[in-house]
Amino acid sequence: MYIIAHRGSSSTAPENTIAAFDLAVQQGADYIELDIQLTMDQHVAVIHDDTVDRTTDGSGPVRNYTLDQLKKLDAGSWFDERYAKERIPTLQEILERYSQRIGILIEIKHPKRQIGIEKAVVDIINRFSYSRHIMVQSFDDTALQRIKADAPSLRTAFIMKPSALKLTKRKLAVYSSFADCLNMKKTMINRWWIDRIHSFGMDVFIWTVKDQKTANRIKKYPIDGVVTDHPPFFQKKK
């Protein structure tokens, strides 16, 4: 089972920053998960929200900033003053720093409001060696279909909404045409769904574990990966 650090080790460092990703590596995570948004000048920035208000000292939509302007924002003090020097990284910077060290799970946020983001992501990933350990995920099936059309060998994960409980054979056949993995909310998990998804050749990931009690429950299931704010919940035995 892969340990996937949600926005890095986001329980102990500011999310989607180098500090959080470095800590996830140190804690033995198998993947870092991150979120991306397009800047005004079409750079791919690593930030969860479509505004900078919550996680920086700036305000307004990410799309209203150039990359140079984003880089001037403090992306760490909101979490703790120790992280005042943290800045918003780009996807390019993340791949350069981590692609040979840890798996990377890239979530495309709001693709309908970010025209061209799928191509931008594929273009950046194409500068690096493809591997099983670079994946793109989204709640948007159309975005993943575009990814697969441009880069058939790039692994993808479809994030399931909690309302999507009826995983019929017909639905699973469609999902398996553009997704290598289904990423399900922790409350959706049961052995029957896991076995059925596996029978269609897809992996099963679970999101997002935030406490040890839930972690202990999740460990009992034959899933392929778990997204967590705190990788040590799933510390592997040496």
Side-chain angles (χ1 to χ4, degrees):
M1 180 177 68
Y2 293 126
I3 302 170
I4 305 164
H6 184 232
R7 308 177 199 171
S9 187
S10 55
S11 67
T12 45
E15 65 180 60
N16 282 320
T17 63
I18 296 298
F21 298 140
D22 278 353
L23 187 55
V25 172
Q26 294 168 19
Q27 291 173 337
D30 300 298
Y31 279 80
I32 52 174
E33 185 267 355
L34 54 88
D35 311 281
I36 54 172
Q37 305 278 350
L38 283 178
T39 66
M40 182 191 296
D41 48 352
Q42 299 298 293
H43 288 277
V44 181
V46 176
I47 181 172
H48 179 274
D49 300 355
D50 56 7
T51 68
V52 300
D53 300 58
R54 181 176 63 86
T55 56
T56 79
D57 58 348
S59 63
V62 175
R63 66 178 178 271
N64 288 355
Y65 284 80
T66 65
L67 180 60
D68 285 344
Q69 290 169 334
L70 272 187
K71 284 293 189 180
K72 294 175 183 176
L73 299 179
D74 174 351
S77 290
W78 67 273
F79 188 89
D80 191 290
E81 286 298 328
R82 291 179 296 153
Y83 298 106
K85 293 183 180 180
E86 291 298 318
R87 296 292 179 261
I88 297 172
T90 65
L91 180 59
Q92 172 81 21
E93 290 167 343
I94 294 300
L95 290 172
E96 287 173 351
R97 187 179 181 94
Y98 298 106
S99 64
Q100 299 301 314
R101 301 167 63 194
I102 192 171
I104 301 171
L105 178 59
I106 303 160
E107 182 173 347
I108 297 179
K109 310 296 293 186
H110 314 300
K112 289 183 174 65
R113 301 204 298 264
Q114 302 195 80
I115 305 303
I117 192 168
E118 300 95 341
K119 184 178 185 304
V121 170
V122 170
D123 286 348
I124 292 169
I125 293 174
N126 275 338
R127 299 169 197 165
F128 298 83
S129 297
Y130 274 177
S131 85
R132 283 183 56 83
H133 303 299
I134 296 178
M135 296 183 67
V136 178
Q137 69 172 359
S138 181
F139 282 100
D140 190 298
D141 55 345
T142 302
L144 296 180
Q145 289 166 17
R146 291 194 186 111
I147 292 285
K148 277 295 188 184
D150 287 344
S153 61
L154 181 59
R155 286 174 55 79
T156 55
F158 184 39
I159 311 173
M160 302 290 297
K161 294 179 180 178
S163 58
L165 286 174
K166 292 185 178 180
L167 293 178
T168 63
K169 290 183 178 179
R170 186 174 181 178
K171 279 186 178 180
L172 287 170
V174 172
Y175 295 157
S176 66
S177 70
F178 62 82
D180 301 285
C181 173
L182 292 187
N183 195 350
M184 306 172 72
K185 191 173 182 181
K186 60 191 177 187
T187 53
M188 299 171 67
I189 189 173
N190 65 60
R191 181 62 183 260
W192 192 83
W193 286 132
I194 294 168
D195 290 345
R196 193 164 200 182
I197 293 166
H198 280 159
S199 74
F200 279 80
M202 291 179 286
D203 290 342
V204 179
F205 289 175
I206 299 298
W207 59 275
T208 299
V209 175
K210 299 176 181 287
D211 63 87
Q212 187 69 67
K213 182 178 179 181
T214 303
N216 292 341
R217 179 174 67 87
I218 294 296
K219 290 174 186 178
K220 300 174 183 178
Y221 291 94
I223 60 174
D224 304 284
V226 58
V227 180
T228 179
D229 291 348
H230 195 66
F233 286 156
F234 296 89
Q235 202 73 50
K236 295 177 179 178
K237 295 180 180 179
K238 295 182 180 180

